[in-house]
Amino acid sequence: MKRLFSILAIMCFMAFGTANAATTALTSATTVVTTFQDEATDDAAAAESESFHQELKKRFIEGGPGFMGIVLLCLILGLAIAIERIIFLNLSTTNTKKLTQNVEEALQSGGVEAAKEVCRNTKGPVASIFYQGLDRTDEGIEAAEKAVVAYGGVQMGQLEKNVSWISLFIALAPMLGFMGTVIGMIQAFDKIQAAGDMQPSLVAGGIKVALLTTVFGLIVAIILQIFYNYIIAKIDSIVNDMEDASITLMDLLIRNKK
């Protein structure tokens, strides 16, 4: 009887070991297949990305160095101005509520000079407007209000500096593309006239150049338009904060006078 139990135990152990070995082998095979599939997918993605860049470079060269170079210059200059404006506007953003609270506390504790010191230590157009208004409080509330309005216009001009150049490049890039289209069509018709026969091979080159310049001009305009809309929205937000802060400052000065 004991021998029977021993034989059954050994058979169960061998069956369990065989099942574990099969499971381990199946898992290893699945892992290897999955790894090969992932590597193949990565290689395909890399090849697709490389082919896209090569295709873009090829199409750019086929468009001709003349108009394509000018369109590329519009993109570079427009992006440079847009990035500079975005950095400037982000640095000009101020926590208006916190600044107003600090100025109010300074007015109550240390007077106008303490409030001016708070504004001097804070960056942004809102703090500059506050400083100009506080600096004219000795001349009366009306003088302070005029100073705030006048300096607000100056700050708005600084926020909108060079933004018009971006709109120029947005309009100029597709116009250059359309001009390249017209010139390409003229060249195609010149070839037809010189050959005296309507052959697709004569027209294809000029039409392809024409379409490529148009496509790249539109791409540049779309890219710059996205940056332009973001910059305009950022400027509007800062201007609204400036207007609200100016009204709040006048209320603070009136209460402080009382």
Side-chain angles (χ1 to χ4, degrees), residues 9 18 31 68:
T18 305
T31 304
M68 298 296 278

Side-chain angles (χ1 to χ4, degrees), residues 115-138:
K116 288 168 64 176
E117 185 65 25
V118 172
C119 296
R120 274 195 293 264
N121 296 329
T122 305
K123 296 180 180 180
V126 177
S128 300
I129 291 174
F130 273 24
Y131 183 85
Q132 295 297 323
L134 293 169
D135 196 38
R136 300 293 191 280
T137 52
D138 296 337

Side-chain angles (χ1 to χ4, degrees), residues 28-187:
S28 301
T30 305
T31 304
V32 171
V33 172
T34 305
T35 303
F36 282 144
Q37 289 178 350
D38 292 340
E39 290 179 355
T41 304
D42 294 338
D43 293 339
E48 183 179 357
S49 176
E50 184 178 357
S51 63
F52 173 75
H53 288 91
Q54 290 179 352
E55 184 69 19
L56 184 63
K57 181 179 178 181
K58 176 184 175 182
R59 296 299 181 184
F60 183 84
I61 296 173
E62 288 178 352
F67 284 96
M68 298 296 278
I70 300 175
V71 172
L72 180 61
L73 183 63
C74 291
L75 176 62
I76 294 173
L77 294 177
L79 286 178
I81 296 174
I83 293 172
E84 185 271 334
R85 282 293 89 190
I86 290 173
I87 295 173
F88 178 82
L89 294 174
N90 287 328
L91 293 176
S92 300
T93 304
T94 307
N95 190 345
T96 308
K97 293 182 179 180
K98 183 177 180 181
L99 176 62
T100 304
Q101 183 179 359
N102 293 336
V103 170
E104 184 176 5
E105 293 175 355
L107 282 172
Q108 294 175 357
S109 60
V112 176
E113 292 299 326
K116 288 168 64 176
E117 185 65 25
V118 172
C119 296
R120 274 195 293 264
N121 296 329
T122 305
K123 296 180 180 180
V126 177
S128 300
I129 291 174
F130 273 24
Y131 183 85
Q132 295 297 323
L134 293 169
D135 196 38
R136 300 293 191 280
T137 52
D138 296 337
E139 302 175 9
I141 300 298
E142 293 182 359
E145 185 176 1
K146 290 180 180 178
V148 167
V149 173
Y151 201 72
V154 174
Q155 291 295 320
M156 188 181 301
Q158 292 182 359
L159 294 176
E160 296 176 350
K161 183 180 179 182
N162 294 330
V163 176
S164 60
W165 286 103
I166 302 177
S167 61
L168 172 63
F169 294 136
I170 291 172
L172 190 60
M175 291 174 64
L176 290 171
F178 293 145
M179 184 179 293
T181 300
V182 174
I183 292 176
M185 296 299 293
I186 292 174
Q187 291 176 353

